[in-house]
Amino acid sequence: MESKFLQVRDLQIEYTSGKQVIHAVNGVSFDLERGKTLGMVGETGAGKTSIAKSIIGVLPNPPARITGGEILLDGKNLLEASEEEMLKIRGNQISMIFQDPMTALNPLMTIGDQIAEAIELHSENAGKHAAKEQAIKILKMVGITEERYEEFPYQFSGGMKQRVVIAIALSCNPELLLADEPTTALDVTIQAQVLDMMNDLRRRLNSAMILITHDLGVVAEMCDDVAVVYAGEIIEKGTKEDIFDHPTHPYTNGLFGSLPMMAVGEKRLHPINGMMPDPTNLPKGCKFSPRCPYATDDCRTGQIVLDEITPGHFCRCIRNSKEAHNV
């Protein structure tokens, strides 16, 4: 079995707005093994959702345009696949849980019919009766009774809508699940239930997953590996233990510093100063340098690469590069 199930290489994505070019994703590379979960964390506008949408092939074109790179799924470059080929890949091999369940569901269709439709479209031998039976089974898997099959989205709470969206995504047993902030709109209790359910279903189906979230607690609960994304670049990546036990990039440390630390008696949070850079006019050198307390002239002008600082742990920072340590 191929261990590197998904390989993203030097992915570059731009958006056009009038005469402006928005540099959303700038040379992102990572691997994902089958059955593993990669957490992508970072501020809003970092490019996380654009990466996920490019993998499943639903970037709006225009205004989005993939200007470079490769996305290899089991060795096949998805960026070279035709739309007809992608229609077969979506649902069967790759599914996506979109961020807002309120807009992801069709208000004019019952939730059961929406799940059955996905099964009919992506399963060659599934007729209407078989699709309905499978849809009922999937509903039960996400904790929704058969009696609610004929109900419409407006009859469900936010948490139950999210369960329906997850059911649609999992209805064809995908090999790769893209979860874009799947619990953002949920209260803490329902969030925990949904995360437990997603973990259980992922293990049962042996699916790989990319989990996009702002919540480091969710990452600690769900993920095997972590990629910290800033201004369209991965600035630190490694195992969950690497990132949580040995955070290295100043931005990663800033994310942890922004969390309340009840156990150590911290009275105030330590927010990251400043704002994300303008994606139409990104700074030279390190994209984080305008906000970094350790930035030097080399940081602002040099070419900063993603360097392996320990086996499997990468960081995009001059202070932690091999070259800096060898000087």
Side-chain angles (χ1 to χ4, degrees):
M1 182 183 291
E2 177 66 48
S3 62
K4 292 181 179 178
F5 168 58
L6 175 70
Q7 298 171 283
V8 177
R9 294 285 175 266
D10 196 28
L11 180 64
Q12 300 170 54
I13 302 171
E14 293 179 352
Y15 290 81
T16 54
S17 178
K19 294 183 179 180
Q20 292 185 318
V21 177
I22 298 167
H23 304 282
V25 178
N26 307 297
V28 162
S29 299
F30 62 88
D31 297 329
L32 180 61
E33 297 179 15
R34 198 181 296 270
K36 297 289 188 179
T37 297
L38 171 68
M40 283 193 174
V41 297
E43 293 171 83
T44 298
K48 307 181 298 298
T49 298
S50 292
I51 294 169
K53 286 185 175 181
S54 69
I55 294 171
I56 198 170
V58 295
L59 278 173
N61 182 15
R65 186 167 65 99
I66 297 175
T67 58
E70 294 180 322
I71 300 173
L72 304 175
L73 185 73
D74 268 342
K76 178 180 177 61
N77 189 356
L78 299 182
L79 299 185
E80 295 177 352
S82 66
E83 182 58 26
E84 185 177 350
E85 289 175 308
M86 287 303 299
L87 285 173
K88 295 178 181 179
I89 290 170
R90 293 188 202 109
N92 286 329
Q93 288 183 274
I94 309 174
S95 285
M96 187 164 180
I97 301 171
F98 290 95
Q99 186 170 348
D100 185 4
M102 311 296 179
T103 57
L105 295 172
N106 185 338
L108 302 179
M109 291 178 66
T110 67
I111 56 103
D113 284 346
Q114 293 188 57
I115 299 170
E117 181 184 53
I119 295 169
E120 280 190 77
L121 285 172
H122 298 289
S123 299
E124 293 181 1
N125 301 318
K128 286 190 179 297
H129 180 72
K132 182 174 180 178
E133 291 297 315
Q134 181 66 16
I136 290 171
K137 182 180 177 181
I138 291 285
L139 277 177
K140 290 178 179 178
M141 285 175 65
V142 298
I144 299 175
T145 61
E146 180 180 348
E147 289 73 23
R148 306 202 69 178
Y149 184 97
E150 297 293 343
E151 293 185 4
F152 290 86
Y154 76 89
Q155 295 173 279
F156 288 76
S157 66
M160 296 300 276
K161 284 190 182 80
Q162 191 63 283
R163 288 170 184 258
V164 174
V165 171
I166 292 169
I168 293 171
L170 295 173
S171 61
C172 297
N173 300 340
E175 299 173 42
L176 173 62
L177 181 62
L178 308 173
D180 187 5
E181 299 186 37
T183 59
T184 296
L186 307 181
D187 64 70
V188 176
T189 304
I190 301 300
Q191 173 177 290
Q193 294 174 6
V194 169
L195 291 175
D196 286 343
M197 179 192 66
M198 287 175 59
N199 241 345
D200 179 60
L201 295 175
R202 183 187 61 80
R203 291 193 188 102
R204 199 182 306 175
L205 302 173
N206 195 35
S207 299
M209 180 163 69
I210 295 177
L211 176 63
I212 296 170
T213 181
H214 298 287
D215 191 332
L216 290 168
V218 170
V219 172
E221 177 73 20
M222 298 282 289
C223 299
D224 302 294
D225 301 297
V226 184
V228 182
V229 185
Y230 185 83
E233 295 179 339
I234 291 177
I235 59 170
E236 188 167 1
K237 66 178 178 178
T239 65
K240 176 172 62 180
E241 291 73 22
D242 286 333
I243 303 302
F244 278 76
D245 296 340
H246 308 287
T248 303
H249 196 282
Y251 179 66
T252 309
N253 279 296
L255 292 178
F256 283 108
S258 300
L259 297 174
M261 299 292 184
M262 303 299 184
V264 297
E266 286 280 356
K267 295 183 178 180
R268 297 185 65 86
L269 300 180
H270 303 282
I272 303 171
N273 293 326
M275 300 289 290
M276 286 269 291
D278 179 357
T280 65
N281 185 28
L282 292 171
K284 295 180 180 178
C286 175
K287 307 297 186 290
F288 186 62
S289 60
R291 305 171 71 184
C292 181
Y294 310 106
T296 65
D297 289 341
D298 288 338
C299 298
R300 299 182 184 96
T301 58
Q303 184 176 2
I304 317 299
V305 299
L306 194 62
D307 204 5
E308 188 171 23
I309 52 176
T310 58
H313 186 186
F314 296 80
C315 182
R316 192 184 298 272
C317 181
I318 284 181
R319 295 173 70 239
N320 300 286
S321 68
K322 291 176 181 176
E323 288 80 2
H325 290 305
N326 291 333
V327 172

